[in-house]
Amino acid sequence: MKDPGQNKISLENRFEALRFFCAIGIAILLSFVIIILVSREPFTALRNLFLGPLSSMRRFGNVVELAITLTFSGLAVAVMFSANQFNMGAEGSFYAAGAVAAMTALGLPLPPVIHPLFAILLGGLTGAVICAIPALLKAKWGASELVSSLMLNYVFFYFTRYFCNTVFKDPDSGYVSTYLLPLTAKLPRIIGGTRIHLGLFIVIAVTLLTVIFIKRTRWGYALIQTGRSPGFAGYSGINTSWVLIYSQLLGGFIAGVGGSVEVLGMYDRFQWQNLPGYGFDGVIVAILARNRPAWVPVAAFLLSYIRIGADRMSTATDVTSEMIAIIQGIIIMLVAAQAFMSRQRQKMLIKEIRSHG
Amino acid sequence: MAEDLLRMEGIVKIYSNGVVANNGVDFSVKAGEIHALVGENGAGKTTLMKILFGIEEATSGNLLLNGLRETIKSPIDAIQKGLGMVHQHFMLIESMTVAENIVLGMEPETGLLLNQKKILSDARNIIEKYNFPINPQDRIRDLPTGTRQKVEILKALFRNARILILDEPTSVLTPQETTELFEQLKTLKNLGHTIIFISHKLNEIKEICDRITIMRNAATVGVYEVAKISQQEISSLMVGKDIDLNLNKTPARPGETALRVRDLVVTDINKRRLLESVSFRLRRGEILGIVGVEGNGQRELVESITGLRKPEGGKVELWGKDLTSLSIKGIRRLGLAHIPQDRMSKGAALTSSIKENLISVAYDSPELSRGPLLNLKKIDRWCRDLIRDYQIKASSPEVPVKMLSGGNIQKVVVAREFSGDLGCIIADQPTRGIDVGAASFIHHKLLALRDSGAAILLISADLSEVMELSDSLLVMFGGRLAAYFESLSSVTEEELGLYMLGLKRQSDEEIKRCSA
Ligand SMILES: Nc1ncnc2c1ncn2[C@@H]1O[C@H](COP(=O)(O)OP(=O)(O)OP(=O)(O)O)[C@@H](O)[C@H]1O
Ligand SMILES: [Mg+2]
């Protein structure tokens, strides 16, 4: 027997998907207009923007590589935001975990396989600690997690950079960086002609585990309910302070794993002299995915595709990559706007109901 | 026959999730009458009124005001056309004064600054004009519910409302407050106002309404003169079949003590005592009622028992274990269920689905989980059973609770709290906003639970409900127990009223019997 209620829910989901892609469609249209206005060679620019990422194996590889990174940070932020905590610590976690993973790779001689695993684990724990601190400060003293996490990002950034730039610095390298990371610690490339590395499998696993955690486990349930209504969760007997802390620990851990995988998979040396910005990108990805872990990879791929396309466009033509920031902004606004296309949705519904009686 | 002041024809409303809340509703009101609108939970009353007031847009249908076709596009538009609405869930700004709330949105302007003096005098004028006993300088958060409601009404009157829509105004009021409200409504009627009155309490409708429109399943069943129709007839028209309102209550057979409250003291931040050494015991197999005017310590008592608040002194023991040192989870594990007064911020998570709301207490029990994983199959079956048993009106268990009607939200809360292994139930206003049929269902359920050995503490503003269900009764006044009645056979509502208002008080010996 088919349940009519189920029908409506699936209609809702179908509509969400439709809306997501319409938002992107409109954003693309707007970028057409903008590029035609600012460029002397608009069609070359557009081709590069939208097809550039597909023009070679290496470039498509770039899209996947960046998407891996953005998926990690998007998942981290989605988990933390789901608990209704505006924790920006993913940024600091990403950097510090990358640094810690690099230091582990350099400082601890371990056999292959175990080496990267251990480095990633330590990186993850670093991230977990960094993101949990704002939650603890909030639980104890009511400090705004937004402010404290933003400040702490700098503390951990300078702290870990200091070690990388002193103890582990390679004086013979032509630029400021650590020694070469040992091969035992690095994540091997898996697809020829690209730099796509083993991190792809790790990110798939982490995404699946996060989806299962949120949708299928008791802890995930408690997390979501606490985020939606702390009053209700507390009254029901859920230990909301504990939820607050473990959600940030988990988010930070994912960000930390992301930072470690990025460094071990993509670089020969640790060389970040600034915050990489991936944590903040995670915020964009999480918002696009509406904090739903299953949608995070899609949103991450999309953002990554736009970024790489923009890179292509700005190197190959006269359109600056600033334009891309504008296009990104438009897409995010359209996707985030709840009411966008609500009329169409209503019409779809009425039609559906009339036809089913 | 008098012209209809207001006429809604063939109203259809399909909500964005596909619920057909109104399906060709006809509704009309004559000038100067008090017109009742009744129907089961989820029949579509609030929806119809929201359409009238411009909050929701009808999918189709016509509206006539004074015989002329009109469209009402927004609440502002509705106000300009002489409508006013007091919502089922209040919409006042708690931190502001009465005067500011009344005038809000229509402030007299003098440049950029608000003219506080003018606001105050405007508010005073309207309060005096309608003779409401309210101080315009009080802050909303300090006021009892009954007064808040009057502020809502004044707010509408200040905007020159000729037609007042009151959505379940009495479900949150004490009997005294209801009586007062009715006086004021009669005055308004005499002044020529027209009132639309939604309520689940049929005796109230008999008392003040002239005509009644009955809705069932999103459509109009009929319009009647209130004087010519009995309560029994109304309820069978509402439900579509005869319902048995008789409780058939058997005498209680109390067993051992389940809950014991000893010298409970609660103070507010200014060290003012909100609860003053309250002691009583509650046995298995009995329903102990607590009555009192709101704000006399009932809320603090319930919060202390259920773990939402740490009392400043005294003990609460369930099966001999002290609850004041336990977490809420720990307390619930001992078999305590709690229907909270505040369903909108505690009892339910509005943005979560019915399913998520139904499992919030038991999701980690062995029945609904397997190790760290939720057992989705069992959860689904469990929820469907509850939805069916409690007749929660919803298209699927995945619907967010905020899309349910007020009474159906309450049913979700009750269904959750009544399931599981129960030893003791704290039921705070368990039938608030619930239709007659469902209320009677919950009453039967409470009695059945009692007979199966649960200990039940029943707090309700509805005197007749408490008197009908309780085996014994406590009256609270000023944070203390004012009276204890071991049986209700000889107690009258009038007498209770005297204790509730602090005009009478039993001796300490008499009260002590309740903790013997
Ligand atoms: N915002 C909404 N979105 C979707 N469905 C809704 C929404 N509001 C109400 N409904 C649905 O419309 C139906 C009618 O609801 P309505 O609130 O009008 O009932 P009601 O007669 O006022 O009931 P009650 O006596 O419980 O207050 C219900 O089935 C409810 O679930
Ligand atoms: Mg209603």
Side-chain angles (χ1 to χ4, degrees):
Chain A
M1 198 183 75
K2 213 166 164 205
D3 177 350
Q6 223 55 52
N7 234 333
K8 278 166 203 154
I9 296 297
S10 74
L11 178 81
E12 194 82 344
N13 280 342
R14 262 183 4 239
F15 185 81
E16 276 282 299
L18 179 73
R19 211 177 54 109
F20 186 80
F21 290 108
C22 279
I24 291 161
I26 292 177
I28 289 173
L29 220 70
L30 282 174
S31 40
F32 264 114
V33 174
I34 293 170
I35 289 168
I36 285 169
L37 288 178
V38 299
S39 175
R40 265 178 290 109
E41 32 179 356
F43 291 102
T44 326
L46 281 171
R47 206 188 52 239
N48 275 298
L49 176 57
F50 292 117
L51 301 177
L54 299 178
S55 59
S56 77
M57 191 64 183
R58 190 172 56 81
R59 288 189 195 121
F60 188 72
N62 292 150
V63 175
V64 177
E65 291 147 25
L66 182 58
I68 292 174
T69 313
L70 294 181
T71 302
F72 276 119
S73 54
L75 285 173
V77 175
V79 167
M80 294 192 283
F81 278 18
S82 290
N84 205 17
Q85 292 297 300
F86 294 101
N87 190 337
M88 298 290 155
E91 182 67 38
S93 294
F94 222 87
Y95 182 95
V100 166
M103 289 190 270
T104 314
L106 291 167
L108 281 179
L110 289 168
V113 184
I114 297 184
H115 206 173
L117 277 180
F118 193 68
I120 291 170
L121 183 71
L122 276 190
L125 291 176
T126 309
V129 169
I130 293 175
C131 286
I133 293 174
L136 282 169
L137 292 178
K138 177 157 193 176
K140 264 235 156 346
W141 293 296
S144 152
E145 75 279 6
L146 182 67
V147 177
S148 58
S149 61
L150 284 172
M151 302 315 291
L152 282 168
N153 279 345
Y154 287 97
V155 175
F156 290 106
F157 161 56
Y158 284 115
F159 186 69
T160 45
R161 193 180 75 169
Y162 168 81
F163 282 105
C164 291
N165 284 357
T166 54
V167 184
F168 294 97
K169 182 173 174 183
D170 182 358
D172 299 333
S173 153
Y175 48 97
V176 186
S177 78
T178 63
Y179 290 102
L180 274 175
L181 300 176
L183 277 178
T184 48
K186 292 203 54 176
L187 295 173
R189 308 245 156 105
I190 51 172
I191 297 176
T194 72
R195 294 191 299 162
I196 297 175
H197 48 85
L198 206 66
L200 181 64
F201 295 124
I202 302 180
V203 84
I204 291 172
V206 170
T207 306
L208 286 176
L209 286 174
T210 311
V211 172
I212 290 171
F213 178 84
I214 293 286
K215 291 237 151 212
R216 292 294 176 91
T217 68
R218 301 185 297 170
W219 304 305
Y221 170 81
L223 192 164
I224 297 293
Q225 299 312 314
T226 304
R228 290 203 189 130
S229 171
F232 167 73
Y235 145 89
S236 301
I238 292 169
N239 183 345
T240 50
S241 330
W242 169 230
V243 169
L244 213 138
I245 289 163
Y246 76 63
S247 59
Q248 311 308 297
L249 275 172
L250 178 65
F253 186 81
I254 296 174
V257 170
S260 314
V261 167
E262 169 81 4
V263 168
L264 300 180
M266 300 287 288
Y267 297 90
D268 295 327
R269 305 158 180 273
F270 183 79
Q271 63 201 47
W272 287 341
Q273 294 303 318
N274 277 305
L275 286 172
Y278 293 134
F280 296 133
D281 289 342
V283 175
I284 300 178
V285 172
I287 292 175
L288 280 174
R290 299 250 170 119
N291 289 345
R292 276 178 278 186
W295 278 82
V296 163
V298 180
F301 185 84
L302 188 89
L303 189 62
S304 166
Y305 193 94
I306 297 172
R307 287 267 165 88
I308 303 297
D311 271 358
R312 280 307 304 146
M313 181 169 70
S314 67
T315 41
T317 68
D318 61 345
V319 182
T320 57
S321 63
E322 279 87 357
M323 280 306 42
I324 222 59
I326 296 176
I327 293 164
Q328 262 180 42
I330 294 169
I331 297 185
I332 292 159
M333 270 175 353
L334 289 174
V335 175
Q338 289 268 2
F340 171 63
M341 285 177 65
S342 59
R343 292 238 156 233
Q344 278 72 6
R345 177 226 225 134
Q346 186 70 9
K347 276 195 202 130
M348 243 164 94
L349 248 163
I350 291 173
K351 227 167 71 203
E352 175 125 341
I353 287 168
R354 294 250 151 94
S355 67
H356 289 298
Chain B
M1 204 181 91
E3 255 302 297
D4 290 327
L5 172 62
L6 170 117
R7 204 178 167 81
M8 298 172 86
E9 293 172 338
I11 302 292
V12 174
K13 170 70 190 178
I14 303 176
Y15 275 113
S16 58
N17 62 344
V19 170
V20 185
N22 283 343
N23 194 2
V25 176
D26 297 317
F27 179 67
S28 65
V29 179
K30 290 179 189 157
E33 71 171 341
I34 301 186
H35 193 111
L37 180 59
V38 300
E40 286 184 290
N41 293 129
K45 306 177 294 290
T46 300
T47 303
L48 185 68
M49 291 302 112
K50 281 187 176 164
I51 291 169
L52 177 56
F53 198 59
I55 297 170
E56 295 284 353
E57 192 186 354
T59 310
S60 61
N62 295 326
L63 170 69
L64 290 92
L65 277 176
N66 291 313
L68 299 175
R69 272 287 279 278
E70 288 275 9
T71 50
I72 294 180
K73 289 184 283 299
S74 69
I76 297 176
D77 199 14
I79 289 167
Q80 276 161 1
K81 296 192 163 106
L83 289 147
M85 180 158 180
V86 176
H87 294 273
Q88 193 165 2
H89 303 108
F90 290 170
M91 304 197 168
L92 295 172
I93 300 177
E94 302 239 329
S95 58
M96 291 212 204
T97 63
V98 169
E100 285 163 341
N101 266 287
I102 291 178
V103 181
L104 199 77
M106 317 209 33
E107 312 83 354
E109 273 178 56
T110 42
L112 280 174
L113 297 174
L114 290 179
N115 184 342
Q116 287 293 347
K117 250 193 223 141
K118 184 85 175 21
I119 290 181
L120 197 58
S121 71
D122 277 359
R124 276 231 166 82
N125 284 342
I126 189 105
I127 290 173
E128 269 160 30
K129 179 171 170 202
Y130 291 98
N131 196 16
F132 279 42
I134 303 178
N135 175 4
Q137 279 164 308
D138 284 347
R139 301 223 167 250
I140 297 294
R141 59 165 178 254
D142 301 328
L143 297 177
T145 329
T147 317
R148 291 187 189 199
Q149 182 147 59
K150 285 179 195 129
V151 177
E152 287 271 17
I153 295 175
L154 280 172
K155 199 171 142 190
L157 293 173
F158 183 74
R159 286 156 181 70
N160 289 318
R162 303 295 301 156
I163 305 177
L164 262 182
I165 305 164
L166 304 179
D167 194 354
E168 298 194 31
T170 56
S171 64
V172 291
L173 299 187
T174 58
Q176 292 84 348
E177 289 171 327
T178 304
T179 318
E180 254 180 68
L181 174 71
F182 285 180
E183 284 312 311
Q184 251 123 17
L185 292 186
K186 282 177 200 156
T187 318
L188 288 176
K189 179 181 160 184
N190 291 337
L191 289 170
H193 290 274
T194 306
I195 296 166
I196 301 171
F197 183 87
I198 302 181
S199 175
H200 291 294
K201 299 181 189 164
L202 303 182
N203 53 339
E204 294 178 348
I205 287 164
K206 289 295 275 185
E207 191 179 334
I208 61 159
C209 296
D210 302 304
R211 290 198 309 153
I212 180 170
T213 296
I214 300 174
M215 286 182 72
R216 183 172 75 228
N217 278 339
T220 320
V221 182
V223 186
Y224 304 87
E225 301 280 332
V226 169
K228 293 186 189 146
I229 186 167
S230 73
Q231 290 190 32
Q232 187 63 51
E233 282 170 307
I234 297 177
S235 46
S236 29
L237 280 167
M238 256 166 61
V239 184
K241 59 174 191 265
D242 287 334
I243 47 170
D244 182 12
L245 294 178
N246 280 332
L247 266 182
N248 298 325
K249 188 175 159 208
T250 54
R253 273 176 290 147
E256 81 263 36
T257 298
L259 182 77
R260 184 176 282 284
V261 173
R262 280 188 220 266
D263 302 316
L264 202 62
V265 175
V266 169
T267 58
D268 66 6
I269 26 171
N270 305 321
K271 299 264 180 282
R272 206 160 50 97
R273 295 218 157 175
L274 301 174
L275 271 191
E276 176 95 60
S277 179
V278 169
S279 306
F280 63 87
R281 58 116 177 69
L282 171 66
R283 288 165 301 185
R284 301 183 59 138
E286 76 171 344
I287 299 181
L288 175 62
I290 293 191
V291 296
V293 175
E294 195 177 303
N296 278 282
Q298 301 96 310
R299 178 204 291 229
E300 288 73 22
L301 176 64
V302 169
E303 289 181 348
S304 307
I305 296 175
T306 54
L308 287 167
R309 173 178 202 132
K310 293 280 164 243
E312 273 69 28
K315 275 202 167 129
V316 179
E317 292 167 357
L318 184 61
W319 317 122
K321 288 200 194 69
D322 187 13
L323 300 186
T324 54
S325 56
L326 290 179
S327 66
I328 294 185
K329 180 109 254 168
I331 295 174
R332 283 184 172 277
R333 284 230 171 91
L334 290 175
L336 185 118
H338 173 203
I339 300 173
Q341 194 187 90
D342 178 2
R343 66 175 172 232
M344 303 310 267
S345 74
K346 285 216 177 65
L350 298 181
T351 46
S352 290
S353 66
I354 299 179
K355 193 189 254 176
E356 287 168 316
N357 272 277
L358 284 174
I359 64 171
S360 74
V361 171
Y363 72 97
D364 53 356
S365 67
E367 287 99 76
L368 300 187
S369 60
R370 221 182 305 120
L373 294 180
L374 298 170
N375 189 338
L376 297 185
K377 255 210 199 101
K378 275 196 187 164
I379 287 178
D380 196 62
R381 185 157 2 104
W382 201 70
C383 290
R384 277 173 200 281
D385 287 350
L386 284 178
I387 289 173
R388 191 195 55 226
D389 291 351
Y390 286 80
Q391 291 160 27
I392 296 165
K393 213 181 147 207
S395 48
S396 108
E398 312 294 343
V399 173
V401 159
K402 67 164 181 239
M403 290 185 176
L404 299 184
S405 74
N408 279 300
I409 298 178
Q410 181 72 10
K411 287 192 213 167
V412 170
V413 179
V414 172
R416 176 186 63 227
E417 296 302 316
F418 280 2
S419 53
D421 232 351
L422 294 178
C424 179
I425 302 166
I426 313 296
D428 197 354
Q429 323 287 353
T431 59
R432 166 174 290 184
I434 286 194
D435 65 51
V436 240
S440 135
F441 172 80
I442 288 175
H443 290 163
H444 280 109
K445 201 91 193 174
L446 274 170
L447 284 179
L449 285 165
R450 178 199 75 169
D451 292 337
S452 67
I456 298 170
L457 192 66
L458 172 69
I459 300 100
S460 175
D462 184 348
L463 265 192
S464 54
E465 173 175 68
V466 184
M467 296 192 54
E468 210 174 332
L469 283 172
S470 307
D471 301 308
S472 43
L473 190 68
L474 288 169
V475 185
M476 288 190 75
F477 177 77
R480 303 167 62 184
L481 298 181
Y484 171 62
F485 299 100
E486 199 154 9
S487 92
L488 276 82
S489 49
S490 57
V491 200
T492 63
E493 290 203 14
E494 285 69 38
E495 195 184 355
L496 283 181
L498 295 178
Y499 287 106
M500 284 164 67
L501 295 171
L503 299 172
K504 241 177 123 181
R505 200 186 135 75
Q506 287 181 352
S507 71
D508 289 345
E509 278 65 48
E510 281 176 289
I511 296 172
K512 275 220 184 87
R513 284 174 306 143
C514 69
S515 50

